[in-house]
Amino acid sequence: MSALAILDLSLLWAAAYAFHWRGHLLGRRAEGWPQAPRSVRRALDLAAGGCFLAGLAVLIFRAAPNMAHLAVDTSIAVYAIVMAINVARQRATRG
């Protein structure tokens, strides 16, 4: 497995983990601050699942990603991590 494939896999799974935690932090009853509708949590679950499955495909098929794919993965991972931290910060200052 190439170094780019390992980086690709890591970024995809980091994004999946961050999307999962962001949805979890919003609460089971969409009790996010500010209020988040259920559709937002479902969209986060879909994004997390897609990222996880794409990472799994890289792991199984050992495909070397091209630079465009890597750029997309990096942007998704950065977005997911920043948003998860933001929601955690909002929840911490809430009470």
Side-chain angles (χ1 to χ4, degrees), residues 56-82:
L56 190 61
V58 169
L59 183 65
I60 292 171
F61 299 116
R62 300 183 189 273
N66 59 25
M67 293 310 266
H69 189 143
L70 192 61
V72 170
D73 295 344
T74 302
S75 64
I76 289 172
V78 168
Y79 166 78
I81 291 166
V82 166

Side-chain angles (χ1 to χ4, degrees), residues 10-67:
S10 301
L11 290 172
L12 284 166
W13 282 359
Y17 187 73
F19 278 128
H20 166 76
W21 272 104
R22 182 169 188 244
H24 178 73
L25 289 170
L26 289 174
R28 291 179 188 248
R29 297 184 196 139
E31 296 171 347
W33 181 72
Q35 292 292 328
R38 183 177 301 195
S39 60
V40 169
R41 291 191 300 118
R42 296 295 176 246
L44 290 169
D45 289 340
L46 183 63
C51 289
F52 179 80
L53 291 176
L56 190 61
V58 169
L59 183 65
I60 292 171
F61 299 116
R62 300 183 189 273
N66 59 25
M67 293 310 266

